[in-house]
Amino acid sequence: MSIATRNRPPIASAMSAPRGRALIAGTMCFAAALTIAYWVLWYGIDRNILASSHAAAYYAFEQAFPAADG
């Protein structure tokens, strides 16, 4: 046995995924779906449901976010 082989940690199975990977993936998918639902509601249905203000500046502010969210 060579020195390089003796000092190497045991190899984990290729089939085992890190713990919590499914939870993280599910959370990311949920966040993406929620973001898409927000913008569909904002642009397609009724933005007054989401708007906390009805000032023109507020709408201009909100209009700046779709590119960043995309």
Side-chain angles (χ1 to χ4, degrees):
M1 183 183 300
S2 71
I3 293 173
T5 306
R6 272 188 281 155
N7 293 334
R8 192 178 322 161
I11 299 172
S13 170
M15 298 301 285
S16 66
R19 291 181 61 192
R21 186 175 183 181
L23 177 64
I24 292 170
T27 303
M28 290 174 63
C29 289
F30 177 72
L34 198 60
T35 302
I36 292 168
Y38 179 89
W39 290 116
V40 166
L41 189 61
W42 180 264
Y43 283 112
I45 298 174
D46 185 13
R47 64 182 58 176
N48 291 324
I49 295 170
L50 300 171
S52 60
S53 172
H54 298 289
Y58 174 78
Y59 287 115
F61 176 75
E62 283 294 324
Q63 298 292 88
F65 284 96
D69 285 350

